[in-house]
Amino acid sequence: MRIESLACTPLSDGPSTRAFFAQVQALALEQGVTLRQPPPEPTTCCGRGCDGCVWEGFFAAAEFWRGDALQALGAAKVL
């Protein structure tokens, strides 16, 4: 899996985000890079589509984690 494709992977639902986390963590393990743990999935969603839903915060945190992880993986390729 190429880092460029991981940068474009949509993080818009729980299953695809979990799969993304697993792919990045596997790549990091393969490269010997240590990453911080990805954000935990919310457990308090009421399912009513609230403005400011806990899932919105989760996906924002997942994007932030993606940036950190891809930066660490990119730096490992340079070394």
Side-chain angles (χ1 to χ4, degrees), residues 3-73:
I3 290 177
E4 294 81 13
S5 65
L6 292 172
C8 300
T9 302
L11 303 178
S12 56
D13 60 62
S16 65
T17 303
R18 277 191 301 275
F20 169 78
F21 289 157
Q23 290 173 330
V24 173
Q25 289 173 315
L27 183 59
L29 183 63
E30 181 181 298
Q31 292 185 10
V33 175
T34 302
L35 302 175
R36 66 182 172 88
Q37 289 295 310
E41 284 191 37
T43 58
T44 59
C45 180
C46 65
R48 290 184 274 180
C50 303
D51 187 28
C53 177
V54 295
W55 283 99
E56 291 174 17
F58 169 72
F59 294 128
E63 289 288 351
F64 186 78
W65 184 88
R66 178 201 328 243
D68 283 352
L70 296 181
Q71 183 176 14
L73 290 168

